[in-house]
């Protein structure tokens, strides 16, 4: 019996598949193995296992060596007639078995066809070094990997196992590939932005490095033709250490001209409320020389809402610094040993404190952690007072007035934490979201200034002074954006202004009403001139006129203004007279305007530009940070052109990554400060 089994193994009919040209069949004891002659991998060689798994192994193994594997995809023998049904022919059991053997290759081929996307033209597929190098550059850009990774031993070994034919290149060559990729993607972004019918808004962010180098990031914000909010980094400029304010404005203007968007600019948002007004004025004057800004640029200068909140919080923190140090000392003392911690817990339980929150120390880099520390400690006030009376080693005790200050300022901070979370957590931060929250801050600051405690009222006055500077610049832009929310319209402005301004509220409301009407009239004129084949300077709408000496442009404006008194009702009047839209949590303002564009053709153009204005420039990662944006050490060591290319291109490719959140565009480059 043993001899007959060995002979059976060697029968040629058992090894007729083409795959056996690449395997050696070996038997050990009662087990058969198939050993690949190319890589020595041992697979099952039992007749019961078939050859499908051997064929699949070869498709991978031989392809790595650039071997033509097309022959593996075709069965060596074909049945002349495979359409005969087993039920229609009187066959024996042995004949039926042979028929099944011919059916199996057909099933295997169908399986390969389903994986056609994975195995692309296996017979003609050849390794492409140039394409692989481009893909490597794309990967480095998209995931923020260092250029030097191509020289890492682990990376080389990994790639060599995947594709032995890949020729490794130095990181300087990959850097060139990244620059080429950047230029191609830049052209695509350029075409997208310049095809827009609406305007763009520009956010200006300042960055630094551990070596104290300074950078400026310019980000375009706009609402596209499908009413989706978009943002794209245009430039990441390295500033000279000796730059002055006039140089800064010149850098911004040059970037705008590089992208040909100076005539499409609607507003600029600076992340620092302390940016000199002269910088903005220089930019406005330069842009408006040939193309006057709409409504005289009243909405042009915007400052970041989250940044002003951080400045206000900074004042509160500085005022409470001595009290905060005592609170840190109290928490540190309780957490200094398990004995003291246990003693403190027993005290809290005895006096009936039900809080289950653990005492925590704050982080010096995030101000919300200080709020959480204060909030938790205030809940244990009675326990700390008891500890003060019975533990002479506890020396960081707060006085009664200090406890009151801590309680009041913690209440102030709670408002700022909640509003900052709203701003930073919004995945579609359209401009209409900011007005009610900022108005709440305004109202609370007015109340805090009335506090009878001189310490608290003095602190509140200092906070309000910084807020007032922001409010004077941005209140009109905030109000106009809120009016373009169909759930609020003018009613929300009337509601808040009556609380903020009291007896002078009507005058302030009229200023907002006049402002939005003036802006709408400018859009109406632009729309009229476009219909007639021309456009006023400053319009971002397409112009078809080639006559630069049209002397009747003034008549067009006169015609529009004189027709305002006629019976035809404007988009704006019609919009404001109609009832407000019901408030609900699922409301999407961009979808609403997309649907209602035919009803309000001119007002919708205005809404597209205003709602796309970035009222805040702080990402969620930095919302509570006490420092600025700091570029990591690796990227700050790159040359300026490469640094800009890597940062900008990664932003443009971010939709292909797993994280689709626009606010995380520069998340990889932030280093703790």
């Amino acid at each position: 019996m043993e001899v007959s089994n060995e002979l059976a193994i060697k029968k040629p009919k058992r090894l007729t598949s083409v795959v056996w040209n690449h395997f050696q069949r070996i038997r050990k004891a009662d087990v058969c193995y198939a050993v690949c002659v190319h890589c020595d991998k041992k697979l099952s060689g039992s007749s019961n296992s078939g050859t499908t798994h051997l064929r699949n192994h070869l498709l991978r193994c031989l392809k790595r060596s650039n071997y033509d594997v097309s022959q593996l995809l075709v069965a060596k023998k074909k049945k002349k007639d495979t359409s005969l049904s087993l039920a229609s022919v009187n066959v024996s059991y042995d004949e039926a078995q042979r028929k099944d053997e011919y059916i199996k290759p057909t099933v295997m081929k169908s399986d390969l066809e389903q994986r056609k996307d994975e195995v692309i033209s296996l017979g003609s597929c050849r390794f492409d070094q140039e394409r692989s190098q481009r893909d490597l550059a794309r990967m480095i850009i998209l995931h923020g990997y260092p250029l030097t990774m191509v020289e890492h031993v682990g990376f080389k070994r990994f790639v060599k196992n995947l594709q032995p034919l890949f020729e490794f290149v130095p990181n300087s060559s990959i850097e060139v590939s990244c620059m080429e990729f950047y230029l191609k993607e830049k052209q695509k972004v350029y075409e997208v932005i310049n095809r827009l019918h609406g305007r763009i808004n520009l956010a200006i962010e300042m960055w630094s490095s551990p070596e104290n180098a300074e950078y400026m990031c310019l980000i375009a914000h706009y609402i596209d033709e499908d009413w989706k909010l978009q943002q794209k980094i245009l430039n990441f400029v390295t500033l000279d250490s000796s730059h002055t304010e006039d140089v800064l404005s010149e850098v911004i203007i040059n970037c705008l001209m590089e992208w040909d968007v100076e005539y499409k600019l609607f507003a600029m948002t600076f992340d620092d409320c302390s940016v000199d007004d002269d910088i903005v004025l220089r930019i406005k004057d330069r842009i408006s020389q040939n193309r006057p800004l709409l409504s005289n640029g009243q909405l042009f200068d915007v400052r970041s809402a989250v940044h002003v909140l951080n400045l206000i919080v900074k004042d509160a923190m500085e005022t409470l610094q001595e009290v905060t140090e005592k609170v840190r000392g109290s928490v540190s003392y309780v957490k200094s040993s398990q004995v003291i911690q246990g003693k403190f817990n027993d005290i809290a339980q005895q006096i009936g404190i039900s809080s289950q929150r653990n005492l925590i120390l704050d982080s010096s880099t995030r101000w919300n952690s200080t709020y959480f520390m204060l909030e938790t400690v205030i809940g244990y006030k009675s326990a700390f007072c008891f500890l003060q009376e019975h533990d002479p080693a506890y020396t960081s005790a707060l006085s009664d007035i200090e406890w009151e200050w801590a309680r009041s300022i913690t209440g102030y901070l709670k408002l700022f934490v909640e509003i900052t979370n709203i701003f930073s957590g919004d995945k579609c931060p359209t401009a209409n979201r900011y007005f009610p929250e900022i108005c709440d801050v305004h109202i609370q600051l007015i109340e805090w200034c009335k506090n009878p405690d001189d310490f608290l009222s003095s602190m509140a006055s200092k906070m309000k002074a910084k807020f007032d500077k922001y409010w004077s610049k941005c209140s009109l832009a905030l109000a106009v954006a809120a009016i373009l929310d169909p759930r609020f319209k003018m009613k929300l402005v009337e509601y808040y202004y009556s609380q903020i301004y009291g007896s002078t509220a009507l005058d302030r409301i009229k200023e907002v009403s006049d402002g939005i009407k003036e802006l709408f009239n400018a859009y109406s004129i632009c729309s009229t001139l476009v219909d007639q084949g021309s456009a006023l300077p400053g319009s971002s709408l397409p112009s078809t006129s080639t006559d630069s000496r049209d002397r009747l442009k003034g008549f067009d404006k006169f015609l529009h203004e004189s027709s305002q008194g006629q019976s035809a009702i404007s988009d704006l009047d019609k919009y404001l007279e109609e009832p407000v839209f019901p408030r609900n949590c699922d409301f999407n303002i961009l979808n609403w305007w997309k649907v209602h564009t035919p009803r309000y053709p001119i007002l919708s153009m205005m809404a597209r530009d205003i709602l796309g204005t970035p009222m805040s420039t702080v990402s969620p990662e930095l919302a509570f940070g006490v420092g600025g944006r700091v570029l990591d050490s690796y990227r700050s060591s790159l040359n300026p052109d490469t640094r800009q290319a890597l940062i900008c291109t990664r932003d443009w490719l971010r939709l292909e990554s797993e994280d689709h959140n626009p606010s995380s565009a520069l998340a990889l480059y932030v280093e703790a400060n």
Side-chain angles (χ1 to χ4, degrees), residues 218-271:
L218 280 70
I219 308 176
H221 294 251
Y222 60 91
I223 295 174
D224 62 20
E225 305 307 314
D226 196 36
W227 284 88
K228 301 293 184 183
L229 185 62
Q230 304 286 353
Q231 70 176 57
K232 296 185 183 298
I233 297 178
L234 300 184
N235 297 90
F236 195 88
V237 183
T238 302
L239 300 175
D240 187 271
S241 58
S242 61
H243 79 275
T244 56
E245 292 177 353
D246 56 336
V247 172
L248 190 63
S249 59
E250 196 67 28
V251 170
I252 295 174
I253 292 170
N254 289 339
C255 290
L256 293 173
M257 297 178 67
E258 174 189 346
W259 289 89
D260 291 331
V261 293
E262 69 276 9
Y263 71 99
K264 298 174 75 72
L265 192 60
F266 180 78
M268 294 183 64
T269 303
F270 290 87
D271 62 350

Side-chain angles (χ1 to χ4, degrees), residues 429-448:
T430 47
N432 61 298
R433 298 293 304 272
Y434 291 81
F435 180 75
E437 307 298 340
I438 295 299
C439 284
D440 281 340
V441 172
H442 198 168
I443 293 169
Q444 288 301 317
L445 285 171
I446 293 173
E447 292 300 315
W448 296 342

Side-chain angles (χ1 to χ4, degrees), residues 305-307 309-310 313 366-368 413-426 437 441 616 618-620 622-625:
V306 173
H307 187 269
L309 294 183
N310 283 342
V313 168
R366 296 182 66 81
W367 64 262
N368 61 330
L413 294 178
K414 181 179 181 181
L415 174 66
F416 295 119
V417 168
E418 292 173 347
I419 293 178
T420 302
N421 279 328
I422 291 173
F423 289 164
S424 61
D426 195 342
E437 307 298 340
V441 172
S616 177
V618 180
S619 65
L622 298 174
F624 297 100

Side-chain angles (χ1 to χ4, degrees), residues 509-521:
I509 293 171
K510 186 176 185 302
E511 290 177 5
V512 174
S513 178
D514 292 344
I516 193 171
K517 287 178 181 178
E518 182 181 353
L519 185 62
F520 176 79
N521 288 339

Side-chain angles (χ1 to χ4, degrees), residues 571 574-575 578 592-593 596-604:
D571 281 6
K574 180 167 55 178
Y575 169 79
E578 293 175 349
W592 191 93
W593 277 106
H596 289 80
T597 293
R599 180 168 179 79
Y600 311 109
I602 298 175
L603 189 62
S604 64

